[in-house]
Amino acid sequence: MSYHLDAIAPHGGQLVNRIATPEQRQEFLSKADFLPRVQLDERAVSDLQMIAIGGFSPLTGFMNQEDYNRVVTEMRLANGSVWAIPVTLSVEEEVAASLKEGGFIRLDNSAGEYIGVLELTQKYSYDKSREAINVYRTDDSNHPGVQVLYNQEPIHLAGDVLLLQRDPHPFFPKYQIDPVTSRQMFGEKGWKTIVGFQTRNPIHRAHEYIQKCALEIVDGLFLHPLVGATKEDDIPADVRMRCYEILLDGYYPKDRVILAINPSAMRYAGPREAIFHALIRKNYGCTHFIVGRDHAGVGNYYGTYDAQYIFDEFQPEELGIVPMKFEHAFYCTRTQQMATSKTSPSSPEERIHLSGTKVREMLRRGELPPPEFSRPEVAAELARAMQVPLPV
């Protein structure tokens, strides 16, 4: 149906589909015992799925050397299209040496299940410290993204992929909404403008405030929490999803919000990942994307609004999605409501600043976040998950 692309075209103009047809699946399953195998880690499985469903359009596979080098240095693919994060598959030198360019490789998940194939077009080495400095703005191995990079194998495999097996999500099958489906849902609702929201943290009052500010401007909100690999100390995805469900049930207009999961893995690349996240939401059909304080940041590696400034490095038509930039929201004790410095007359001591980090710290201390931080029902759910005693 034509309405799929009415609101916004995917990045690159065409929504990629690398999900095997039944015939392709049967063909490759029959070759299962004859193909060389590569086992994927959790991030690579997420990347394979995102490529296959079109979430990483225009990518059709793992990056070749020309695309990789230009993304690292210029935030562009070899054809000049904007792309901010390398999407690569690394293997040991001995494994790479045994693989022939031009052949197919069986891709297994960590359980040894045959889930995809790679048509190998290129093998190449790469400079980890160069990637770290360019992509993450640091070569500090304490940075979680840099740590993953340094633990990668030294050779990248490039080529188109096909996804052969994809099971329903074990926790959130009804929220497993692919780009082709989200676009259809937006069209059916008559939404022409849709704002995407990315989070890896439990939703709190500052999130709610900026989402509702955005909803005053656009037709619909696509709440799209990331459920791929995150840091060990991040709140688990199932807990976060229950919090979203609680909040949407009682505090949002039901006909103007769609909740879906984002299968991607976090990179914690700050500004570059803000661009990456925006382009992903463009592929899902969003016309706008919320960029708040320290988007996709970690520790003190990035400036508070660096993730907003990076959007100014590109022409609007190159990105094709509109960033909605919000200042740090807080609870204003003078006006007794959520606000930012743009709308509040308060002094610094009259502001209660909110963050997922603060909520996590309070819960670990056995404290329940106050209503200024989090809706009571959400705080209670977080407390149960963290095994914090609830007040009698």
Side-chain angles (χ1 to χ4, degrees), residues 204-214 252 329 338-340 343:
H204 51 68
R205 294 288 299 276
H207 292 150
E208 182 184 341
Y209 174 73
I210 61 176
Q211 288 167 14
K212 287 180 175 176
C213 285
Y252 284 69
M338 297 300 302
T340 72
T343 55

Side-chain angles (χ1 to χ4, degrees), residues 42-43 46 144 148 198-201 225-237 240 262-268 273:
E42 187 180 2
R43 175 186 287 189
S46 288
V148 170
Q198 151 73 32
T199 177
R200 71 176 197 269
N201 283 315
L226 182 144
V227 299
T230 57
K231 296 189 283 89
E232 283 187 7
D233 62 343
D234 280 347
I235 300 286
R240 291 185 276 121
N262 173 12
S264 297
M266 274 299 295
R267 265 71 175 183
Y268 303 96
E273 196 158 8

